[in-house]
């Protein structure tokens, strides 16, 4: 890993652990094993490096989700794979935690990748739910946009509850509960599928 990558990775980790204010240039340099000159050779300062790190975390999160969204199975099976994907619930979501950082949320440039990530994930989930409705897997009464928003809230809220209880099992139960509610909208297979 080159110096620029080490700086970005170290900043990702520190932002998740300490937040924006607690992530000092010195701490970044120490963790990345890079000097001040190297840091300022690649980035104009802490805000520029923080933006690169936040963008990286956001892209990684979207890429991992997209792997499940485009994987094998029906629309609901792909959505289930995304919701049940292994996560480190006690560390929290690397992007979701940034929403609790007032300095990140107050800066429109730093906030943009966070906002964009959750918007895109919600849209992708809504698209899968819409596909499930169109293919007869889910009932017509299901509202894809509202349901996708609720599923995103369950994932993010599950992190909060898991951290509060110091138990990753709480996050798993939150996801299981959401999937149980979604199961209430499943339809019976059509005659076409029985053939």
């Amino acid at each position: 890993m080159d110096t620029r990558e080490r700086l970005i990775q170290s900043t990702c980790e520190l932002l998740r652990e300490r937040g924006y204010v607690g992530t000092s240039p010195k701490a970044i340099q120490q963790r990345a094993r890079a000097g001040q000159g190297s840091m300022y050779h690649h980035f104009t300062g802490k805000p520029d490096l923080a933006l690169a790190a936040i963008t990286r975390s956001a892209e990684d999160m979207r890429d991992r989700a997209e792997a499940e969204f485009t994987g094998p199975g029906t629309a609901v099976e792909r959505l289930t794979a995304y919701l049940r994907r292994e996560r480190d619930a006690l560390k929290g979501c690397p992007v979701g935690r940034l929403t609790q950082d007032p300095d990140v949320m107050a800066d429109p440039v730093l906030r943009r990748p966070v906002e964009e990530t959750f918007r895109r994930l919600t849209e992708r989930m809504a698209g899968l739910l819409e596909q499930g409705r169109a293919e007869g897997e889910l009932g017509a009464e299901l509202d894809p946009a509202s349901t996708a928003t609720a599923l995103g809230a369950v994932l993010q809220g599950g992190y909060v509850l898991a951290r509060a209880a110091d138990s990753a099992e709480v996050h798993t139960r939150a996801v299981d509960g959401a999937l149980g509610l979604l199961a209430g909208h499943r339809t019976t297979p059509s005659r076409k599928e029985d053939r």
Side-chain angles (χ1 to χ4, degrees), residues 4-84:
R4 184 177 192 281
E5 286 302 308
R6 288 199 319 271
L7 287 163
I8 292 172
Q9 185 60 41
S10 296
T11 305
C12 287
E13 293 166 3
L14 288 165
L15 285 171
R16 190 173 186 176
E17 294 167 12
R18 302 179 184 183
Y20 185 79
V21 169
T23 300
S24 68
K26 184 175 182 177
I28 295 167
Q29 292 161 23
Q30 286 176 340
R31 184 163 299 190
R33 297 176 322 279
Q36 183 176 359
S38 293
M39 181 175 153
Y40 289 101
H41 170 74
H42 294 288
F43 301 98
T44 59
K46 177 181 166 180
D48 184 39
L49 179 50
L51 178 60
I54 292 168
T55 301
R56 172 70 55 81
S57 291
E59 288 170 351
D60 288 349
M61 184 173 167
R62 291 192 309 259
D63 289 347
R64 289 190 68 199
E66 196 60 29
E68 276 110 21
F69 293 154
T70 58
T74 67
V76 172
E77 287 169 346
R78 287 180 277 145
L79 185 57
T80 300
Y82 167 68
L83 294 171
R84 287 208 168 131

Side-chain angles (χ1 to χ4, degrees), residues 149-161:
T149 300
L151 292 174
V154 165
L155 276 180
Q156 292 303 311
Y159 284 119
V160 172
L161 296 176

